[in-house]
Amino acid sequence: MRRLFPSPLSPADLDDREWGPAELADLYAYPADLPAGTAWLRANMVSSLDGAAHHEGRSQPLSSAADMRIFGTLRGLADAVVVGAETVRQEGYRPARAREVFAARRAALGQGPAPVIAVVSAGLDLDFSLPLFTAPLVPTIVLTGADAPAERVAAARAAGAEVLVVAGEGPGVDVARVPGLLAGRGLTRLLTEGGPRLLGQFAAAGVLDEMCLSLAPVVATGTAPRIMAGPPLAVPERFALGSVLEDGGFLFTRYSRV
C-alpha cells in the first residue's frame, strides 16, 4: 500500500508496504472537535471502474484484502454502523465484533468494545432470528417511522433489538434525523455502509459529511446501481479530497464535504 495524497510525500509514503492498524486508524480518525451533540456521518463504499456498487448483489467481488483492512479500521473507529434493511438482507449482516487491535483506542475515547449496528427500515421486513438481533455484543438499534407495523416492532423488541420509532411521523424514515438521533444517545462517530438507496437519501438530506470510496480496478457492467441511488440534488454538492492510498491497482480515497 502506498500513500499518494496528501502532499508532500516522503520516500516512505511511496514504498509499497502493508500499513499497520495504528497507521490506518490515525489516517481515518474522526474529527476531534465536533460540537457537542452533533455527529459526523462517514460513508464507506466500493465501486467498479464502470460505477457498479456490487456484482450480482454482493460487494465482496469488488473488494480486496487491503479494502477489507480499511473496512475493519473504519468499523474499529465508529460508535455506530448505520445500514439499510436491503443491505442487511443482501449481505447477510452479522453483529460487529470487538477487535483487540482497537481496544485501547476505543477505551481511551470512551467507546464500547464494538460499534452498534443501527438498521434503517420503514417496514421492518427483517429476519429477527438472525444473530444480528439475537446475539450482538452490543444491542442492535432499529430506526423506523411512527407508522411501522406494530407486530414487526414487537418482533424486533422480542429478539432483543432496541427500536427507535421517532425517525419519522409517517410510514418512512426521515434520514435527516438519524445522525442527531444517534448523537443524542452518545453515538457521534457514525459510519454508513449503504446500501446505495440509503446513502443517496443521506446525501440528498445534506447530512453526509465524508465519503470513503474504494475504486476497484475491475469492470462489472450489468445493471448494478451506482453507490448512491436517490433523489437528485438541486445543486451537486462539493467534497474536498482528503487522502488517497493505492494497493494493487485499488484506490482508497477519502473526501470531506466542503
Side-chain angles (χ1 to χ4, degrees), residues 166-203:
V166 292
E169 276 77 26
V173 177
D174 181 0
V175 300
R177 297 186 185 184
V178 168
L181 186 63
L182 294 174
R185 307 178 74 80
L187 305 172
T188 61
R189 304 171 187 90
L190 306 181
L191 170 67
T192 180
E193 296 167 352
R197 183 170 176 271
L198 178 62
L199 186 52
Q201 290 174 327
F202 278 137

Side-chain angles (χ1 to χ4, degrees), residues 8-187:
L9 299 174
S10 69
D13 288 322
L14 298 175
D15 286 344
D16 193 4
R17 60 183 177 83
E18 183 172 322
W19 281 41
E23 287 180 290
L24 288 173
D26 288 343
L27 180 67
Y28 286 100
Y30 281 82
D33 55 352
L34 288 178
T38 63
W40 183 269
L41 178 60
R42 159 187 288 166
N44 181 36
M45 296 290 282
V46 63
S47 170
S48 68
L49 291 177
D50 55 320
H54 55 68
H55 180 64
E56 296 184 343
R58 301 291 301 277
S59 59
Q60 189 277 331
L62 305 181
S63 188
S64 69
D67 183 49
M68 293 309 298
R69 287 199 301 275
I70 291 173
F71 171 90
T73 298
L74 297 182
R75 280 199 164 198
L77 298 175
D79 294 328
V81 178
V82 187
V83 63
E86 182 62 21
T87 298
V88 169
R89 291 188 289 264
Q90 290 286 339
E91 300 280 354
Y93 254 61
R94 299 186 62 81
R97 59 186 178 88
R99 298 171 185 265
E100 181 61 31
V101 69
F102 298 116
R105 183 182 291 261
R106 293 185 67 87
L109 292 172
Q111 295 175 294
V116 174
I117 303 294
V119 183
V120 179
S121 177
L124 302 183
D125 182 17
L126 297 160
D127 182 354
F128 293 117
S129 69
L130 294 176
L132 176 62
F133 302 103
T134 62
L137 187 62
V138 288
T140 294
I141 291 175
V142 177
L143 298 152
T144 191
D147 290 347
E151 69 278 6
R152 300 304 297 161
V153 171
R157 288 176 170 154
E162 182 178 1
V163 181
L164 305 182
V165 292
V166 292
E169 276 77 26
V173 177
D174 181 0
V175 300
R177 297 186 185 184
V178 168
L181 186 63
L182 294 174
R185 307 178 74 80
L187 305 172

